[in-house]
Amino acid sequence: MHYDEGKEKFIQAWGTLGSAWGINKAMGQIHALLLISEEALSTEEVMEQLQISRGNANMNIRALMDWGIVSKAYKPGERKEYFTTGKDVLELARQVSRERRRREIEPVMRVLEEMQQVEGDTSEVAHFKTVTKDLEGFTKQMDGALDKFIRSDKNWFFQVLMRLMK
């Protein structure tokens, strides 16, 4: 397989995978391109390499910046904006986890906590409160595990992973 073919395959696969961790395909493809690029890229370079419009490129680069996984890079003497991403895969996973926690888990936890304020003396209300309380407990446990992962260092993560694989 030639480099160009491998690069295209990787970008397409990463774009598809992106939807599994909460971003759209174009965001995933832009991130993949920045991940495998040795140098920071301009919007124009992203547009050209991925064959996407300026609006699509700008909107998705900004969204990746909002996620905290893409940042601006400055090149001396250049007026264009350049963008880059970290190459540490574990740190990327931590940042994606932080962001998904903020966007998905925390709002669900707030709603589940509110559900314990539902009033009524019927069995239906009791059942509702039991189920939502169980969901709240499970969500808190998952949040605790996610928090440990987010705060972990590489050694801790790989030690736990190795124990799980035994």
Side-chain angles (χ1 to χ4, degrees), residues 36-48:
I36 61 173
S37 295
E38 290 183 281
E39 307 250 336
L41 300 177
S42 68
T43 303
E44 290 76 15
E45 291 168 319
V46 170
M47 291 167 46
E48 179 183 321

Side-chain angles (χ1 to χ4, degrees), residues 28-81:
Q29 290 174 333
I30 291 169
H31 184 257
L33 179 61
L34 294 173
L35 192 61
I36 61 173
S37 295
E38 290 183 281
E39 307 250 336
L41 300 177
S42 68
T43 303
E44 290 76 15
E45 291 168 319
V46 170
M47 291 167 46
E48 179 183 321
Q49 290 191 45
L50 297 179
Q51 296 297 296
I52 60 175
S53 70
R54 178 174 300 282
N56 193 3
N58 282 328
M59 179 181 66
N60 286 300
I61 288 169
R62 299 293 175 231
L64 287 163
M65 291 172 71
D66 289 345
W67 273 77
I69 57 176
V70 165
S71 57
K72 285 184 184 179
Y74 297 97
K75 290 188 177 182
E78 291 282 340
R79 293 181 63 169
K80 290 181 184 177
E81 289 184 327

Side-chain angles (χ1 to χ4, degrees), residues 90 153-163:
L90 187 58
D153 64 9
K154 282 184 183 181
N155 292 334
W156 176 88
F157 176 73
F158 288 117
Q159 287 172 359
V160 169
L161 186 61
M162 293 307 289
R163 276 190 233 134

